[in-house]
Amino acid sequence: MSAAAAPAGSAESLRRRSREALTALAVQFLLGMAANLIGEPEGGLAVAVDWVVVILHVLIAIGLVVIAVRLLLAARRAQLGQRLALWGLVVIVVTFLAGVATMATGSDWASYLMATGFLAAAALYGGTFFASYRMGSVAGA
């Protein structure tokens, strides 16, 4: 089935998954920035807020891996943006692992890799979003 023959619903599914990924990335970015701003709280309410922010950050990271897989499946169904979606999944997994390394070691380099992964994933998923509008495009775009 060519990209032109792919059902219109497939492109809409890709668009919806791309929006989900971009939204989750935006929330993830804001939570990460909040965790950085709070830093190492010394007590009281700041500790509780820090824990909530970090737990939400971890849960959304897990959700991003799930969304990345679903987005790849949608891209394959629509035959649009498949390479972008595959690279998006790879970047999300590497970024997730960088987040685990950041939490385990406190490494600033792992944190930097997380930030870089965020930017790369946002660009790739922006690409899949725009690819969803190109029904007549080349299938592997």
Side-chain angles (χ1 to χ4, degrees):
M1 174 166 61
S2 71
S10 298
E12 178 56 36
S13 177
L14 176 59
R15 195 172 304 125
R16 185 173 38 259
R17 298 291 170 252
S18 297
R19 271 194 308 262
E20 286 174 5
L22 290 166
T23 302
L25 282 167
V27 172
Q28 189 72 328
F29 172 79
L30 293 174
L31 288 170
M33 290 306 297
N36 280 332
L37 285 172
I38 294 170
E40 295 293 326
E42 295 184 14
L45 183 62
V47 172
V49 170
D50 185 54
W51 271 103
V52 169
V53 167
V54 170
I55 289 169
L56 287 173
H57 193 71
V58 170
L59 290 174
I60 291 174
I62 294 166
L64 273 164
V65 173
V66 172
I67 290 168
V69 170
R70 293 180 69 197
L71 197 148
L72 177 59
L73 295 173
R76 286 186 175 167
R77 260 190 318 278
Q79 296 182 351
L80 295 167
Q82 294 175 72
R83 266 188 233 122
L84 294 169
L86 177 60
W87 278 108
L89 175 59
V90 169
V91 167
I92 288 294
V93 169
V94 169
T95 304
F96 180 87
L97 294 174
V100 171
T102 300
M103 299 223 22
T105 67
S107 167
D108 289 336
W109 284 107
S111 181
Y112 178 79
L113 184 57
M114 254 196 316
T116 304
F118 160 78
L119 288 174
L124 289 163
Y125 291 139
T128 60
F129 178 78
F130 291 117
S132 71
Y133 285 100
R134 296 184 304 216
M135 286 301 291
S137 70
V138 178

